[in-house]
């Protein structure tokens, strides 16, 4: 049976070149980068090299890149770090209703200890309004944290404009760029970004490694204390193979960015057009163009999402109902709710995310399968008949 | 996660779809809780001659209904009322614990159809004692 | 030139079997364990399997093992978690003067926000005294955190007795078992341990993955917020290959424990005996027997440690001055200070740690080299002549 | 980390060891700061005829002293006083930034020896102006 992976936003396979770069660091070049001897220095130099590649991908300098265990840790660190480090200045944080759980649950945690969180609304496409943001900033605001590109619906926020605004108001700006990385131009200096979260496993690197960009002017308290690693900003023996893999993945992402975006955008358009052609009563969620090149989030009304995913799975197709973190419990997505999708449609929405290894033939197979599913299960859907019959 | 029998019933459900002029109909669930289950019955001489279902619900709900409708066909109403979600699960060869409530859904939909039938015809069935058509399976399942 | 790695306490090479177990999870079985489809379920099952192996190594149940990014994160989480979660009960934490920096710097951080830390003294061998511990516990004490086996001098604490004591006093007990794991019997139930930190890269597993054992009766607030991974206790996409590697390493550690301990103990004794035989004015730091099987920490008086390490390095030999995390800055070790070693001797102390790939021939080469170094640099040491000449 | 020349001087230091009846001796550092450097000089007619050093210090201190003693041999005292740690580093082909203080150590030890010599013989040297024998290189190096 054909196997088609269409969940590149949940995670990506590690590219062969990336794995090849990592391999020596497991069994041969296993030195601890903090060690003074040759093996240690070799590992340390390799880390510096990887750091530079990641810095290059976002227009930062290498000392501004601090490795973490992933995007989640980076989000936790950025937001809690600014919060705890700026208590004397204020207790107000602004974010959006469409953040990843790593951000939302961190904010909820902070709310329990006295921080005030404003969750900005978004429009039908998932876009925040700059006016809303401007209005929300007050003299107690210490941080604005807005997701660069949404993981469920792919909407890309006006980051440069937000950076301009926060800069003018003297408020720190963090963005969760886990999904955006490698999929759209990022330049932290042009965009006035103070803190930016990244994760390796979304750009064909290994899982369990990520990074936080910390603008050199920003003093962020440490979150994980211990040894003197990472310029004394993040303790713990470095995940050397992970760092090397992330570095290689970042290098490839930079080299391939243009072709990657072009290819994914084409595949996305192809898929969406075909679906609209073949199935009635479907809709696309998120912004028509200002979205991640590989993101397709559609509502197949009258067909329950989990049914669809299960059928796809049986046919060898991997897709998801939104964020992977919550897909074990099939609940309506907070993001779809925020863009005003009614519950039954939210429960009929599926996210397909294409990637570097996706082919048109894969998509044809998936489209065909979707048509079968929709026909089959709409027939036995109480709503469909009621409304159509 | 699911065994082959569940998958088979999910992909090729028995008794799925509409029924012309059913003698009994029962609907349980609502869009708000994410699942809706509808059962249609043909009843003749106290015997369930035919059963059909429609659902907007997950795969386990579909498989459960497929099996449950199979199980009650040809049975008397009293016999049908004795079919529990446990029987449905056994017949399916097991369901993951977080999917138990789906089997409850189909049991309840059948009971609701019979309840409506009893009401319409002013009948009483032993097996409906204590049955509450507004029962919400989501509040009771244990995970 | 011969290459001899004698820094197994800093980090270990990944064993071939471990790497082989990991490989499929990079490019083939790359699914996100939170995903519902086949690839996701496969990864999830593999994680469960690994979790079980780690639980088995320490006598825990699998749900009590929560993966972290390493020993440092586990230490941070355990200590801060208990501290923040038990503020209402008290603000007193007891630890020792010989903890790893992951613990010490975490405690210093807590001290800044109002927690009181008692740092227990140790005797000349690095052992705490149970009497001291008993006396230190008061009605505000919420946590006792004592390192299982010391990373610099290898001393193994009387963990079972400490567990007994803390249990009787109703105080939580955390131990940093990063060095102890696989090197000595650990049974969290017999030993009444509530929280225990582990790290994969010290037991021939990959870097960047560790775990915290959390006794099921203990309610520990989360430290990294976000998705519902790890029984909702630790958010972030799981480092699947890392987890699998750690699991495999734990399995091997359990299988080989007896032979491993026997072999390392023999190598250690061989090394120490030869050194004593060939060089005057040397001493062994730490406990003569209650120590990690592979740990050798010796003072070569009158020879400066960094000189020695550099010479060894040039000869292809990797050793360290103590903990890897601080070895980039050659400072006198806090552990050697705590056992009463005078500064000049602390600066003349070297840690050699043998491991599964060490041979007697390796040690002969190292011993020979040490004799050369000591003869050469003692001759030009101002102290040596003064005292001996 | 270290270049070959540093390693060579570290492993086979020139002028290391004791000197019988030195005309001048200078010690700098102490066990407390972890480094100690001792310099012995033979001086004849204002010229440094021989120089030796002993140290309890790291590899860069040894290499620096090896080079520094080489450099001052045959020089007049005034010339020797002009040899700076910068000259020593240049001669070594560079030192890592956190090791700069080691080269300072050897410069200071030589100056201290000459300072002691000057005191003993009641001499004054232009190059010792402002020199403080209690100078601690650890407080001044920048990393
Ligand atoms: C937008 C976003 N933020 C954060 C994360 C978390 O990153 P990680 O899985 O590396 O912890 C993810 C993906 O899981 C994501 O999509
Ligand atoms: C005793 C001890 N605790 C904690 C750690 C930190 O573990 P990790 O390197 O996995 O962060 C180490 C080693 O680095 C250690 O030896």
């Amino acid at each position: 049976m054909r196997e088609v992976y269409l969940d590149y936003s949940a995670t990506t396979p590690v590219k062969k070149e990336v794995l090849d770069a990592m391999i020596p660091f497991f069994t041969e070049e296993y030195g601890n980068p903090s060690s003074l001897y040759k093996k240690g220095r070799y590992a340390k130099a390799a880390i510096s090299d990887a750091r530079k590649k990641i810095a290059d991908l976002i227009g930062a300098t290498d000392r501004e890149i601090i490795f973490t265990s992933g995007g989640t840790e980076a989000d936790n660190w950025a937001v809690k770090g600014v919060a705890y480090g700026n208590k004397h200045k204020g207790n107000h944080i602004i974010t959006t209703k469409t953040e990843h759980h790593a951000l939302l649950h961190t904010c909820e945690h902070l709310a329990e200890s006295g921080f005030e969180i404003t969750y900005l609304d978004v429009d039908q496409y998932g876009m925040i309004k700059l006016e809303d943001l401007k209005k929300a900033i007050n003299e107690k605001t210490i941080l604005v944290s807005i997701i660069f590109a949404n993981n469920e619906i792919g909407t890309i926020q006006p980051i440069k404009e937000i950076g301009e605004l926060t800069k003018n108001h003297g408020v720190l700006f963090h963005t969760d760029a886990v999904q955006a990385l490698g999929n759209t131009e990022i330049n932290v200096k042009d965009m006035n970004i103070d803190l930016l979260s990244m994760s390796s496993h979304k750009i064909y690197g290994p899982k369990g490694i990520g990074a936080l960009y910390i603008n050199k002017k920003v003093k962020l308290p440490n979150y994980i204390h211990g040894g003197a690693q990472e310029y004394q900003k993040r303790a713990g023996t470095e995940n050397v193979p992970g760092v090397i893999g992330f570095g290689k993945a970042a290098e490839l992402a930079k080299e391939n960015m243009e072709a990657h975006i072009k290819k994914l955008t084409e595949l996305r358009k192809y898929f969406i057009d075909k679906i609209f052609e073949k199935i009635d009563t479907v809709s696309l969620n998120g912004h028509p163009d200002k979205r991640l090149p590989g993101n397709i989030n559609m509502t197949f009304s009258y067909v329950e999402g989990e049914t669809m995913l299960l059928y796809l799975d049986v046919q060898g197709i991997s897709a998801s109902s939104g964020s992977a973190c919550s897909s074990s419990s099939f609940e309506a997505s907070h993001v779809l709710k925020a863009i005003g999708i009614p519950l039954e449609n939210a429960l009929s929405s599926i996210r397909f995310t294409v990637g570097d290894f996706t082919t048109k033939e894969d998509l044809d197979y998936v489209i065909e399968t979707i048509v079968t599913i929709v026909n089959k299960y709409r027939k036995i859907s109480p709503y469909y008949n009621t409304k159509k019959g | 996660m699911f065994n082959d029998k569940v998958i088979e019933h999910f992909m090729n459900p028995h008794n799925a779809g509409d029924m012309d002029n059913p003698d009994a109909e029962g609907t349980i669930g609502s869009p708000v809780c994410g699942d809706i289950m509808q059962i249609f019955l043909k009843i003749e001489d106290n015997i369930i001659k035919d059963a059909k279902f429609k659902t907007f619900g997950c795969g386990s709900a579909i498989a459960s209904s497929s099996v449950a409708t199979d199980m009650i066909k040809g049975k008397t109403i009293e016999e049908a009322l004795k079919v529990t979600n446990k029987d449905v699960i056994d017949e399916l060869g097991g369901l993951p614990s977080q999917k138990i409530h789906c089997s409850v859904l189909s049991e309840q939909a059948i009971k609701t159809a019979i309840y409506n039938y009893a009401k319409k015809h002013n009948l009483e069935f032993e097996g409906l004692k204590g049955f509450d058509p507004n029962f919400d399976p989501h509040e009771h399942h244990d995970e």
Side-chain angles (χ1 to χ4, degrees), chain A, chain B:
Chain A
M1 189 178 52
R2 192 185 267 269
E3 297 246 337
V4 184
Y5 184 75
L6 290 187
D7 206 9
Y8 282 84
S9 267
T11 193
T12 56
V14 171
K15 285 192 174 166
K16 193 182 170 310
E17 303 94 299
V18 171
L19 181 59
D20 287 347
M22 295 170 70
I23 291 290
F25 293 90
F26 289 110
T27 51
E28 296 296 321
E29 292 300 345
Y30 52 82
N32 187 318
S34 300
S35 298
L36 286 172
Y37 43 77
K38 217 178 302 148
K39 260 192 165 39
R41 298 196 304 270
Y42 186 86
K44 200 188 179 98
I47 287 181
S48 296
D49 186 48
R51 197 188 306 279
K52 191 144 180 38
K53 288 170 180 167
I54 290 153
D56 281 351
L57 184 56
I58 61 166
T61 58
D62 44 356
R63 282 191 77 119
E64 294 174 317
I65 304 297
I66 307 296
F67 291 108
T68 65
S69 64
T72 298
E73 183 191 325
D75 282 347
N76 273 259
W77 183 13
V79 177
K80 292 179 192 167
V82 172
Y84 298 138
N86 292 277
K87 262 188 203 160
H88 55 290
K89 289 199 201 140
N91 71 338
H92 181 230
I93 293 170
I94 300 171
T95 184
T96 78
K97 289 191 173 157
T98 60
E99 298 296 315
H100 188 268
H101 281 139
L103 220 290
L104 287 181
H105 290 164
T106 295
C107 286
E108 283 162 21
H109 173 76
L110 288 173
E112 282 167 23
S113 49
F115 287 89
E116 275 173 36
I117 321 286
T118 297
Y119 297 94
L120 295 178
D121 281 318
V122 294
D123 67 15
Q124 59 174 320
Y125 301 120
M127 286 283 179
I128 66 146
K129 292 188 209 78
L130 289 169
E131 268 315 300
D132 291 353
L133 173 57
K134 202 184 276 178
K135 270 188 231 139
I137 296 176
N138 64 39
E139 70 287 351
K140 297 210 144 182
T141 308
I142 50 176
L143 178 70
V144 169
S145 177
I146 291 176
I147 191 165
F148 202 123
N150 185 271
N151 50 304
E152 296 191 29
I153 55 173
T155 303
I156 299 176
Q157 298 293 349
I159 294 296
K160 195 174 155 75
E161 288 77 6
I162 297 169
E164 190 76 29
L165 194 72
T166 50
K167 188 187 160 196
N168 292 341
H169 284 77
V171 173
L172 288 174
F173 174 33
H174 167 251
T175 183
D176 175 342
V178 168
Q179 292 289 341
L181 194 71
N183 286 310
T184 183
E185 273 308 327
I186 301 181
N187 187 301
V188 289
K189 307 292 164 183
D190 286 356
M191 293 172 166
N192 286 305
I193 297 166
D194 295 304
L195 299 153
L196 178 141
S197 304
M198 295 170 264
S199 182
S200 152
H201 73 100
K202 310 283 188 183
I203 62 161
Y204 309 93
K207 295 175 176 64
I209 186 81
L212 181 64
Y213 155 79
I214 309 173
N215 182 301
K216 61 177 166 297
K217 287 184 212 134
V218 175
K219 267 204 159 47
L220 192 72
N222 287 5
Y223 192 60
I224 304 222
H225 298 86
Q229 293 91 352
E230 294 293 294
Y231 309 116
Q232 310 208 31
K233 289 183 200 286
R234 202 286 190 181
T237 302
E238 298 88 339
N239 177 354
V240 183
V243 164
I244 303 311
F246 188 14
K248 186 71 194 173
E251 183 182 45
L252 294 176
K254 193 175 156 74
E255 279 171 23
N256 303 340
M257 176 117 57
E258 212 177 315
H260 165 86
I261 292 175
K262 184 160 176 289
K263 176 189 158 141
L264 268 56
T265 305
E266 277 171 20
L267 289 172
R268 178 187 89 211
K269 294 213 160 123
Y270 179 78
F271 186 96
I272 294 171
D273 288 350
K274 285 274 177 193
I275 290 289
F276 274 112
E277 190 187 306
K278 294 183 181 236
I279 305 177
D280 66 278
T281 337
V282 286
S283 51
L284 178 71
N285 303 312
H287 197 280
D289 335 293
K290 288 178 191 150
R291 71 187 302 141
L292 289 170
N295 176 288
I296 300 152
N297 188 312
M298 298 189 93
T299 300
F300 300 88
S301 300
Y302 315 116
V303 184
E304 202 261 356
E306 197 172 333
T307 290
M308 187 137 172
L309 290 181
L310 179 56
Y311 199 102
L312 289 168
D313 183 24
V314 173
Q315 303 298 335
I317 299 163
S318 301
S320 95
S321 59
S323 91
C325 317
S326 58
S327 66
S328 293
S329 65
F330 206 83
E331 278 170 22
S333 135
H334 66 282
V335 175
L336 296 181
K337 195 169 162 202
I339 60 171
I341 306 279
L343 181 76
E344 64 267 35
N345 276 349
L347 294 175
S348 297
S349 299
I350 303 286
R351 179 187 74 180
F352 300 95
T353 41
V354 299
D356 284 357
F357 300 114
T358 310
T359 64
K360 241 178 196 155
E361 292 68 42
D362 287 341
L363 296 189
D364 286 335
Y365 174 65
V366 175
I367 291 158
E368 198 184 296
T369 310
I370 292 172
V371 171
T372 308
I373 297 172
V374 169
N375 287 338
K376 187 166 191 136
Y377 293 100
R378 275 191 180 169
K379 257 200 215 111
I380 66 168
S381 172
Y383 298 130
Y384 190 66
N385 277 14
T386 318
K387 302 203 178 176
K388 290 265 151 180
Chain B
M1 184 147 84
F2 295 110
N3 69 50
D4 290 350
K5 186 144 186 195
V6 176
I7 295 292
E8 173 57 29
H9 275 279
F10 155 68
M11 296 193 68
N12 299 299
H14 305 179
N15 317 308
D18 274 313
M19 182 186 277
D20 290 335
N21 307 315
D23 297 308
E25 188 272 348
T27 302
I28 190 159
S30 78
V32 179
C33 67
D35 298 305
I36 188 157
M37 174 75 71
Q38 202 173 12
I39 290 277
F40 309 96
L41 301 176
K42 279 259 189 274
I43 300 175
E44 257 175 54
D45 298 337
N46 216 28
I47 286 174
I48 297 175
K49 289 285 181 188
D50 197 10
K52 290 248 179 188
F53 76 93
K54 293 178 78 173
T55 187
F56 176 85
C58 66
S60 331
I62 293 170
S64 296
S65 310
S66 171
V67 158
T69 46
D70 270 358
M71 285 168 83
I72 59 170
K73 280 204 287 190
K75 285 205 167 63
T76 65
I77 289 179
E78 283 295 2
E79 281 166 356
L81 286 170
K82 286 202 182 104
V83 174
T84 64
N85 81 304
K86 178 82 180 52
D87 299 328
V88 169
I89 294 169
D90 288 347
E91 184 65 23
L92 280 172
L95 275 181
S97 64
Q98 73 272 30
K99 293 296 177 188
I100 300 298
H101 72 277
C102 301
S103 63
V104 175
L105 205 64
S106 54
E107 178 195 328
Q108 298 297 313
I110 291 170
K111 291 216 164 110
T112 303
I114 298 176
Y115 179 91
N116 292 342
Y117 179 78
K119 277 242 159 149
K120 198 162 82 184
H121 299 91
N122 250 319
L123 301 170
E124 284 212 358
F125 297 105
E126 186 67 17
L128 278 180
K129 266 202 184 134
F131 172 74
D132 171 10
N134 298 314
F135 169 86
D136 177 356
H138 289 93
E139 290 175 4
H140 297 257
H141 72 281
D142 89 36
E143 285 196 10

